[in-house]
Every structure is written in C-alpha cells, then in structure tokens.
Amino acid sequence: MALKRFGVSLDEDILTSLDEFVTENGFANRSQAIRFLAEKNLAEKKWQCDHIVAGTVVIMYNQSKKDITLRINEIQHQYQDVILSSSQYYLNMNFCLHIATVTGVAHRLTELSDRLISIKGIKHGKLVMSRAD
C-alpha cells in the first residue's frame, strides 16, 4: 500500500542533484527516484546487519588465462551453501561474463564477491544484493 505525504522540502542544490539523478537513470519522476534510493538504503542497511539477502556476483575476465577459471571454480566450491547457480557467457573470443546467483547472510555474499573480484586478471566485478524477505 502506497502512502502519499506532502511537505518534503529539499535545499536547491540537493534538488538539482536529484533532478540530475532522475535524468541520468531514466526515472519517470522524482518520486520514483526517491523510492529507489530509499529501497537501496534499506537493502544496504540489511547487508550491514547480516540479514538474509539475494543477489548476483558479476565478473568479466579474459578467458584465455586458464588459471582464472580454475580459481573461480575453487572459490565457488567453498561457497556452495550460498550459490544458487553459476553461468558463463562468452562475449567474444577473449572475454567471458560470469554470473553467480546467490542468497544468504550478507557478509558471506560480500566475502564471496570480494574473493572472486580480487582474482588476478578479473577485468570487472560487482556484487548486487537486495532484501530477500
């Protein structure tokens, strides 16, 4: 159920930044952007409080470096309790996009993500989490 409350005021510089955020992220309006930011803040609070969350770990790497795939598999084996699925997508002859779908205690997912992203040769990595309740 959505509640509508009026009377929120923002400083001009914050309002300008909010409008830029709306435009840059393709939100329909300020309310949608504020909802997104509030949900994001609540999810991040849950990460810090070690609540159960769900999300994905996304990494991109050069597949010609064979030891990277081995390291990914070794690390994922240690985190079987939180990994729901894992997929590789070959973007071209060199680069692979690896996605692990995860759920569990936030600090455990962050630990997994940090270990995967820190593998030598990983070009990009990111953990995205959301509340799972």
Side-chain angles (χ1 to χ4, degrees):
M1 176 171 65
L3 293 176
K4 290 188 177 189
R5 294 187 181 166
F6 300 94
V8 175
S9 61
L10 299 172
D11 292 335
E12 189 64 36
D13 58 332
I14 293 174
L15 188 58
T16 300
S17 295
L18 178 60
D19 287 340
E20 290 171 3
F21 183 77
V22 167
T23 302
E24 290 169 359
N25 292 281
F27 291 109
N29 52 48
R30 291 176 181 158
S31 294
Q32 192 179 50
I34 291 170
R35 266 192 307 279
F36 169 81
L37 292 169
E39 280 293 322
K40 180 179 177 194
N41 181 275
L42 292 171
E44 288 174 358
K45 246 184 180 174
K46 288 205 173 227
W47 304 347
Q48 296 167 357
C49 298
D50 287 333
H51 288 259
I52 301 298
V53 296
T56 57
V57 180
V58 179
I59 54 178
M60 187 178 298
Y61 60 94
N62 186 332
Q63 66 180 8
S64 66
K65 299 182 179 185
K66 302 296 182 202
D67 55 331
I68 292 178
T69 303
L70 179 61
R71 284 292 298 139
I72 290 169
N73 290 335
E74 288 172 352
I75 292 169
Q76 286 190 148
H77 183 73
Q78 297 168 11
Y79 290 85
Q80 291 179 44
D81 59 311
V82 297
I83 297 174
L84 299 172
S85 68
S86 177
S87 301
Q88 287 86 9
Y89 300 94
Y90 301 98
L91 303 176
N92 59 37
M93 293 297 288
N94 295 318
F95 286 99
C96 181
L97 176 66
H98 180 95
I99 301 172
T101 306
V102 294
T103 187
V105 178
H107 80 87
R108 182 108 167 111
L109 303 187
T110 302
E111 183 182 283
L112 165 62
S113 173
D114 289 347
R115 290 195 59 202
L116 289 171
I117 292 168
S118 67
I119 295 171
K120 185 177 180 181
I122 297 294
K123 298 294 183 192
H124 174 75
K126 184 169 185 165
L127 169 64
V128 178
M129 291 190 287
S130 185
R131 298 182 308 183
D133 57 3

